Amino acid sequence: AQTVTQSQPEMSVQEAETVTLSCTYDTSESDYYLFWYKQPPSRQMILVIRQEAYKQQNATENRFSVNFQKAAKSFSLKISDSQLGDAAMYFCAYRFSGNTPLVFGKGTRLSVIA
Amino acid sequence: SQTIHQWPATLVQPVGSPLSLECTVEGTSNPNLYWYRQAAGRGLQLLFYSVGIGQISSEVPQNLSASRPQDRQFILSSKKLLLSDSGFYLCAWGKGRAYYTFGSGTRLTVV
């Protein structure tokens, strides 16, 4: 079975600094997708960034970027120039191709210190 | 554009009462639909998913059930709620190679 592991239950970062959230996953599939979702206090799940496994280039969305290491099955999220609005739960998620559900990690709670 | 609606936003129900949560998607056809539950301070647990009308896959055996009476409607039900059913319920949709979009969630408290 596919599993997603987030080893950092909580992280904190100073405003304007950079923070990296870790995620590892276990799969025997070759065609799959990886995602980072943000869940602010409103509890709405918001897509932050996604990565397709066949793409070697790391995905980037403004201040958010990933370090995708396929052989190591690692998918970390880097947040640059952290802002107060980045404070939230961050979930790493995986699914393989087709009509398959997302499998989530347990989440990392990020605090941003002013 | 596609939108997903989920209601009610908040629900307080007594133990043993029935439950019906509804999720609808607009702007697309034949979406894949998913129900997740999030217990306090925890990750998301997949409950049910559906790839078409009348097609339901259950991931966790429990007193909850799901139905898909129409293409873009997904309903989560229970005949008799338990205290352990309390949590935050999220509906999501996806299609093809796209990412999945979530509804705004229902906070259920069973008392």
Side-chain angles (χ1 to χ4, degrees):
Chain A
Q2 291 78 20
T3 58
V4 178
T5 302
Q6 294 179 249
S7 59
Q8 307 152 315
E10 296 184 356
M11 293 280 286
S12 62
V13 62
Q14 293 280 348
E15 197 174 6
E17 297 294 311
T18 296
V19 65
T20 298
L21 307 185
S22 301
C23 173
T24 58
Y25 58 95
D26 185 23
T27 184
S28 58
E29 302 289 333
S30 59
D31 185 16
Y32 55 88
Y33 311 89
L34 296 162
F35 308 87
W36 279 97
Y37 279 86
K38 171 185 177 181
Q39 188 180 43
S42 67
R43 304 192 80 171
Q44 174 75 53
M45 293 289 286
I46 302 166
L47 178 70
V48 175
I49 199 166
R50 61 176 166 174
Q51 175 82 42
E52 293 166 300
Y54 70 87
K55 291 186 177 179
Q56 293 186 338
Q57 186 173 8
N58 290 324
T60 299
E61 290 287 342
N62 300 314
R63 299 182 294 108
F64 299 87
S65 61
V66 298
N67 183 5
F68 173 46
Q69 301 289 329
K70 190 172 184 179
K73 297 181 182 177
S74 171
F75 183 61
S76 60
L77 174 70
K78 185 172 80 172
I79 306 174
S80 304
D81 185 26
S82 296
Q83 301 175 358
L84 294 177
D86 295 334
M89 281 289 286
Y90 285 83
F91 292 97
C92 180
Y94 156 99
R95 74 173 178 96
F96 59 93
S97 61
N99 302 320
T100 56
L102 286 169
V103 176
F104 286 88
K106 293 186 177 181
T108 296
R109 183 175 301 280
L110 178 67
S111 301
V112 181
I113 303 167
Chain B
S1 63
Q2 300 91 8
T3 56
I4 180 169
H5 303 280
Q6 188 179 342
W7 67 92
T10 305
L11 195 58
V12 180
Q13 292 285 93
V15 169
S17 64
L19 172 73
S20 181
L21 304 181
E22 189 164 343
C23 173
T24 60
V25 179
E26 296 178 354
T28 188
S29 61
N30 197 30
N32 300 323
L33 297 169
Y34 307 87
W35 278 112
Y36 287 86
R37 178 169 63 195
Q38 185 180 27
R42 295 188 175 183
L44 280 75
Q45 178 189 36
L46 178 67
L47 300 176
F48 301 95
Y49 69 97
S50 172
V51 299
I53 296 175
Q55 301 178 58
I56 308 294
S57 296
S58 174
E59 292 294 309
V60 182
Q62 54 200 333
N63 70 319
L64 298 173
S65 62
S67 62
R68 186 169 176 173
Q70 300 181 40
D71 181 43
R72 293 169 291 172
Q73 184 184 31
F74 204 25
I75 297 172
L76 182 68
S77 303
S78 174
K79 293 182 179 179
K80 291 185 178 182
L81 284 168
L82 307 172
L83 287 173
S84 58
D85 292 323
S86 293
F88 190 64
Y89 289 81
L90 283 159
C91 180
W93 81 273
K95 189 173 181 179
R97 302 172 76 87
Y99 63 90
Y100 292 179
T101 302
F102 286 81
S104 54
T106 297
R107 188 184 308 272
L108 172 66
T109 304
V110 183
V111 296

